[in-house]
Amino acid sequence: MALRPVQVNFKARDDAALGRFWAEALHWGIASEGPGVTNVEPLNFNWPDPSALCIDVVKVPDPETVKYRLHLDLNSSSVAEQQALVKRLVELGASPANLGQGEVPWVALTDPEGNLFRVLEPRSIYRDTGPIAAVLVSCADPREMARFWGEATDWQVHQLSDEHARLRSAEGVGPYLEFVRTPVLRAESGRVHLDLMPYSGDDQAAEVSRLLALGATEVDLGQGEVPWVCLADSEGNDFCVLGPR
């Protein structure tokens, strides 16, 4: 039994507008599974597929304003491409973000609803990930996060140290999931989280029980009767377990 990460979920005041931003940023397409939900995925994508983590933007009345533990790192193949991408993203509505980062080779931005992301300088490890290089999570203990997420999913650990852990699909495609040790963490829930899905034939309830045994906890976000289950990992990061499709 194992779960597969399938999408990054954004809470938004305007799902359609934020969805358009990310679709144009990544050169992906837009769909919708219903009112208040905008799906962003690669063109001609056969969902779910580990070659990409899609983006699901969900409208909520009042998104939290917090320091987010999870953000996207975008890929570039050259310094010129990085500079051109940053320029295009700002024209689309992104804003420069001052994190006190000083002189660094990457560029920090926020999307039109204030979600942090970075445009990375060229890095050989990300040459085949697609436009999203990594989903990066700030944490207290990368080793513990690698243990939990490595057992929760079928993704494999590619790097492990006290400062940084890196996982990727067992098929060796798509973006990485990375955990970086951060001395000061905020406890609030963020507006961005991962959605996981069982494989066809696997039981959602059994997977949730397995995750609870691994150290996850149930989370009440006021979601009511929904077909997914809201949990938090062993450091309190929210995620959802979708029903099988």
Side-chain angles (χ1 to χ4, degrees), residues 88-183:
R88 186 170 67 85
L89 291 167
V90 171
E91 291 171 350
L92 290 173
S95 302
N98 185 358
L99 310 175
Q101 62 266 38
E103 293 294 325
V104 291
W106 41 266
V107 179
L109 300 171
T110 56
D111 70 19
E113 291 223 6
N115 301 298
L116 174 69
F117 66 99
R118 301 190 305 178
V119 180
L120 301 181
E121 77 284 2
R123 300 185 188 182
S124 59
I125 191 171
Y126 301 131
R127 64 185 180 276
D128 62 350
T129 61
I132 299 176
V135 176
L136 192 143
V137 183
S138 299
C139 68
D141 187 347
R143 290 185 182 275
E144 165 58 19
M145 289 292 92
R147 179 205 67 81
F148 177 87
W149 286 92
E151 294 184 35
T153 72
D154 60 354
W155 284 27
Q156 296 179 342
V157 178
H158 284 250
Q159 178 181 335
L160 184 62
S161 71
D162 291 341
E163 300 297 321
H164 189 189
R166 177 181 283 130
L167 289 74
R168 196 183 194 192
S169 163
E171 297 184 30
V173 296
Y176 289 85
L177 175 60
E178 304 190 18
F179 299 94
V180 175
R181 191 178 74 84
T182 306

Side-chain angles (χ1 to χ4, degrees), residues 33-236:
E33 62 193 68
V37 180
T38 299
N39 311 112
V40 182
E41 58 187 41
L43 299 173
N44 302 314
F45 186 69
N46 185 21
W47 194 89
D49 186 312
S51 64
L53 284 178
C54 298
I55 292 176
D56 201 42
V57 187
V58 179
K59 183 175 181 177
V60 295
D62 186 23
E64 302 94 336
T65 302
V66 298
K67 178 179 173 61
Y68 312 117
R69 291 188 185 179
L70 184 153
H71 71 258
L72 299 183
D73 279 346
L74 304 189
N75 208 354
S76 69
S77 60
S78 68
V79 172
E81 183 184 88
Q82 180 193 28
Q83 294 171 344
L85 177 56
V86 170
K87 181 175 183 294
R88 186 170 67 85
L89 291 167
V90 171
E91 291 171 350
L92 290 173
S95 302
N98 185 358
L99 310 175
Q101 62 266 38
E103 293 294 325
V104 291
W106 41 266
V107 179
L109 300 171
T110 56
D111 70 19
E113 291 223 6
N115 301 298
L116 174 69
F117 66 99
R118 301 190 305 178
V119 180
L120 301 181
E121 77 284 2
R123 300 185 188 182
S124 59
I125 191 171
Y126 301 131
R127 64 185 180 276
D128 62 350
T129 61
I132 299 176
V135 176
L136 192 143
V137 183
S138 299
C139 68
D141 187 347
R143 290 185 182 275
E144 165 58 19
M145 289 292 92
R147 179 205 67 81
F148 177 87
W149 286 92
E151 294 184 35
T153 72
D154 60 354
W155 284 27
Q156 296 179 342
V157 178
H158 284 250
Q159 178 181 335
L160 184 62
S161 71
D162 291 341
E163 300 297 321
H164 189 189
R166 177 181 283 130
L167 289 74
R168 196 183 194 192
S169 163
E171 297 184 30
V173 296
Y176 289 85
L177 175 60
E178 304 190 18
F179 299 94
V180 175
R181 191 178 74 84
T182 306
V184 179
L185 292 171
R186 295 279 292 275
E188 300 96 326
S189 298
R191 289 193 291 184
V192 186
H193 68 258
L194 283 171
D195 285 342
L196 312 182
M197 191 174 77
Y199 280 89
S200 178
D202 286 349
D203 182 71
Q204 180 192 37
E207 285 292 345
V208 168
S209 295
R210 186 176 66 85
L211 292 169
L212 294 173
L214 291 175
T217 54
E218 297 183 77
V219 175
D220 185 357
L221 303 174
Q223 63 268 25
E225 293 294 326
V226 292
W228 60 86
V229 179
C230 299
L231 300 173
D233 68 18
S234 51
E235 284 203 7

Side-chain angles (χ1 to χ4, degrees), residues 7-29:
Q7 61 193 19
V8 182
N9 186 293
F10 286 73
K11 300 175 187 174
R13 293 180 179 87
D14 188 337
D15 64 286
L18 189 59
R20 283 194 302 272
F21 170 84
W22 280 106
E24 293 183 34
L26 303 172
H27 295 297
W28 285 3

